[in-house]
Amino acid sequence: MPRHSAFLALVTLVASAAPPLHAQGRDRGLVEMPPRAVRSGLYFVGALGAGSEQCKLGASSEFPASECGTLNAAGNPLPDNGKTWRDPITSPAFALRLGGTPSSNVRLGAELMGWSGDNGPTTERTIGLLATGQFYPSKRAGFYLKGGLGYGWSSVDFNDGSRSPTETGFLFNVGAGYEFALTPHVAIAPLVDFYQGVYPRAGDQTITERIAFFGVSLTVQSGDRRWR
């Protein structure tokens, strides 16, 4: 019995001195690091979708504010019925963005956007170049808010091959989207963007144009940090 008592006492002493199971898998001297940020490095975004465009003419000394004008197939203007903004023209639109990621909550870059739509026998085109920023409220979630400011160009191509003088002016943008990671460095996102440009014309009515862009984007990022 004394031997058995001594053996049990030894087992109890060893068991009490052993480290807990949850600590046995850790290497001594190593420090657990917090999760890495989900966005970093350079990024490129390509977006395609539909752009719904409207425009209006501002009031001048000679004319009241009115819509830009919707044309029929023969090129004749349709009645505006007293509306300030013309009926939307919905056509394909695109956006390209390139920039960097100063923090996991912020992306800054430049954007090229474009829209083209038919208005009767004419084709209207709008191009914009903007400085943009994307803000992510959460470091790990994909939702973001977007804003931008830049310059826009608007022109009309006629069916006889001629083109109207290009209107130029300031362009601003607000938008939002949600990125879903496909791979560590690639994400897809549904998005909505709103663009508005103001094109002053000396001695004539100012053109104001707005485009609501609904689309899907593909984002590719560099860097050693990942979405997941």
Side-chain angles (χ1 to χ4, degrees):
M1 289 296 295
R3 291 185 178 181
H4 289 279
S5 299
F7 178 75
L8 291 176
L10 179 62
V11 171
T12 303
L13 179 62
V14 172
S16 63
L21 289 177
H22 64 80
Q24 292 181 9
R26 300 180 182 178
D27 294 329
R28 293 186 177 183
L30 296 181
V31 179
E32 291 187 357
M33 300 299 292
R36 295 182 298 176
V38 295
R39 286 168 287 274
S40 71
L42 299 176
Y43 72 93
F44 172 78
V45 178
L48 290 174
S52 181
E53 186 266 6
Q54 293 179 288
C55 68
K56 69 176 182 179
L57 300 174
S60 69
S61 58
E62 298 183 13
F63 302 99
S66 63
E67 63 167 281
C68 290
T70 303
L71 307 179
N72 60 21
N76 299 315
L78 299 175
D80 61 13
N81 297 319
K83 294 180 294 186
T84 302
W85 293 91
R86 75 173 175 195
D87 292 334
I89 299 176
T90 302
S91 293
F94 75 90
L96 302 173
R97 295 197 296 275
L98 178 66
T101 311
S103 78
S104 57
N105 293 101
V106 176
R107 277 185 165 152
L108 300 176
E111 175 176 330
L112 174 68
M113 62 78 61
W115 172 89
S116 177
D118 293 333
N119 182 17
T122 68
T123 300
E124 300 183 4
R125 306 181 194 278
T126 298
I127 295 291
L129 184 62
L130 307 94
T132 63
Q134 293 174 215
F135 172 68
Y136 299 79
S138 169
K139 289 186 177 182
R140 300 199 65 81
F143 175 74
Y144 68 85
L145 299 171
K146 174 174 168 278
L149 180 65
Y151 213 65
W153 294 263
S154 182
S155 63
V156 179
D157 293 341
F158 299 97
N159 56 357
D160 61 1
S162 61
R163 172 178 291 185
S164 71
T166 299
E167 312 292 349
T168 60
F170 287 105
L171 184 72
F172 75 87
N173 158 250
V174 292
Y178 198 103
E179 296 174 344
F180 297 93
L182 299 180
T183 74
H185 298 283
V186 178
I188 191 171
L191 60 85
V192 57
D193 273 302
F194 176 82
Y195 302 89
Q196 181 160 312
V198 179
Y199 309 113
R201 298 188 296 176
D204 203 344
Q205 294 173 281
T206 296
I207 298 176
T208 302
E209 181 182 38
R210 62 190 184 189
I211 300 172
F213 176 42
F214 304 90
V216 177
S217 70
L218 189 69
T219 300
V220 180
Q221 71 171 10
S222 66
D224 59 348
R225 297 179 180 178
R226 305 176 175 184
W227 273 286
R228 296 188 187 280

